[in-house]
Amino acid sequence: MMQQPGRLIGLGVGPGDPELITVKALRLLRESPVVAYFVAKGKKGNAFGIIEAHLQDAQTLLPLVYPVTTEALPAPLSYEQVISDFYDAAGEELAAHLDAGRDVAVICEGDPFFYGSYMYLHDRLAERYEAEVVPGVCSMLGGASVLGAPLVYRNQSLSVLSGVLPHEDLKRRLADADAAVIMKLGRNFPKVRQVLEELGLAERALYVERATMANQKIVPLDQVEPMSSPYFSLIIVPGERWQG
Ligand SMILES: C[C@@]1(CC(=O)O)C2=NC(=C\c3[nH]c(c(CCC(=O)O)c3CC(=O)O)Cc3[nH]c(c(CC(=O)O)c3CCC(=O)O)/C=C3\N/C(=C\2)[C@@H](CCC(=O)O)[C@]3(C)CC(=O)O)/[C@H]1CCC(=O)O
Ligand SMILES: C[S@@+](CC[C@H](N)C(=O)[O-])C[C@H]1O[C@@H](n2cnc3c(N)ncnc32)[C@H](O)[C@@H]1O
């Protein structure tokens, strides 16, 4: 008899505070024989840290270690090719478990479909296997809550921007925004702050590192050490308050 394949599950585990995981994510995490997670080389993994207390001995752990995040690559290697090969290999690793009939939960910090690596596995596997995605509280909402910053009033629109954008692109998009969230700071922080200053937005902007995590840090934007900003930080430019 053909083995019934396992299910691929993208599990959002929230922005850091272990209590911000959903009841559904926790149930599916406990029920999954295989738990996969992305992690940078030499790190523990932010998503992993959120859920590790719930793991049981019988569960198989599958760390998916990024071959590169910020390191320069020797020619002829390109970042895109290395990353794409890595996702292909990770997809096949998961497929072996799914073919053997085992469900695989891929845990994701925040929400799986909001800049989450799970998306690249989903794109590779969701047509071959049954896939379920459980949304999570994303970092910008965790960030807004700890910063005490209502994001958008009435008919304002919110722009979510990547700090990786070049200076001029970022400036144009921010100049047009009612309210904005800027993700992916890290080495991009000095450029992002410079753009906010040029637009006169720096005073309205709020900065947080590792929002809702145990080592969360909120620092006034003008006091952030330029090269100390971690990748897991973001900036919020809240919409102008509506005096309703
Ligand atoms: C290259 C760079 C550019 C960029 O962000 O675009 C980039 N990651 C960078 C840095 C970095 N990444 C991580 C750390 C350690 C953090 C720590 O542990 O403290 C550091 C910092 C460091 O190494 O110093 C870990 C990490 N990253 C992702 C997850 C999984 C997840 O969140 O799901 C986790 C682990 C989560 C966990 O631990 O749970 C996910 C993504 N990271 C991507 C790209 C995309 C995948 C590649 C692609 O397809 O391009 C994707 C999927 C986002 C996307 O596609 O949007 C940027 C350099 C910026 C710069 O120039 O400074
Ligand atoms: C690869 S994306 C993952 C986003 C995640 N899937 C989510 O739903 O928020 C990583 C970026 O999300 C932001 N981020 C994720 N978690 C964060 C947190 N707890 N505090 C601040 N920023 C965070 C940072 O801007 C970081 O560069």
Side-chain angles (χ1 to χ4, degrees):
M1 205 178 69
M2 270 278 284
Q3 169 80 54
Q4 168 88 11
R7 275 185 318 152
L8 172 67
I9 305 167
L11 272 192
V13 299
D17 178 347
E19 290 190 337
L20 288 177
I21 190 168
T22 65
V23 175
K24 182 163 187 168
L26 193 52
R27 174 176 63 79
L28 289 173
L29 171 72
R30 287 183 168 139
E31 288 172 5
S32 294
V34 182
V35 177
Y37 60 99
F38 284 96
V39 58
K41 253 188 237 164
K43 298 269 175 104
K44 176 177 178 176
N46 292 287
F48 183 77
I50 295 169
I51 57 86
E52 70 174 318
H54 300 291
L55 293 170
Q56 291 139 38
D57 289 344
Q59 290 177 299
T60 300
L61 290 182
L62 207 61
L64 306 169
V65 183
Y66 278 111
V68 59
T69 54
T70 54
E71 305 89 331
L73 290 171
L77 293 179
S78 76
Y79 173 82
E80 286 71 20
Q81 192 58 54
V82 169
I83 286 292
S84 165
D85 291 349
F86 164 65
Y87 288 136
D88 286 346
E92 289 318 306
E93 228 181 306
L94 264 58
H97 286 286
L98 296 167
D99 287 336
R102 290 187 282 276
D103 290 351
V104 180
V106 183
I107 54 164
C108 307
E109 197 261 354
D111 181 89
F113 278 172
F114 187 66
Y115 297 107
S117 309
Y118 169 75
M119 300 187 298
Y120 305 101
L121 297 176
H122 190 91
D123 290 346
R124 282 165 172 76
L125 298 172
E127 281 166 15
R128 274 162 72 191
Y129 302 96
E130 192 189 332
E132 176 169 3
V133 174
V134 180
V137 176
C138 68
S139 55
M140 67 171 176
L141 298 179
S145 66
V146 297
L147 289 165
L151 277 177
V152 268
Y153 294 85
R154 300 197 78 210
N155 55 359
Q156 292 170 346
S157 298
L158 174 69
S159 297
V160 179
L161 303 171
S162 163
V164 180
L165 286 172
H167 186 112
E168 284 312 308
D169 289 2
L170 198 56
K171 190 167 178 179
R172 177 174 45 81
R173 288 167 188 261
L174 268 173
D176 256 2
D178 297 324
V181 174
I182 309 162
M183 313 277 295
K184 302 183 173 207
L185 297 178
R187 295 186 304 178
N188 302 297
F189 176 83
K191 169 187 64 191
V192 173
R193 181 163 62 186
Q194 171 74 33
V195 169
L196 288 164
E197 281 167 359
E198 287 170 19
L199 291 168
L201 290 172
E203 271 167 26
R204 222 168 93 203
L206 302 164
Y207 170 87
V208 60
E209 297 176 1
R210 305 188 192 88
T212 84
M213 295 182 186
N215 51 356
Q216 163 184 301
K217 222 166 121 186
I218 296 175
V219 186
L221 190 70
D222 60 357
Q223 285 171 36
V224 179
E225 283 296 321
M227 292 318 284
S228 76
S229 167
Y231 182 63
F232 272 61
S233 61
L234 55 78
I235 287 174
I236 291 182
V237 184
E240 297 275 14
R241 185 178 297 187
W242 183 64
Q243 306 292 351

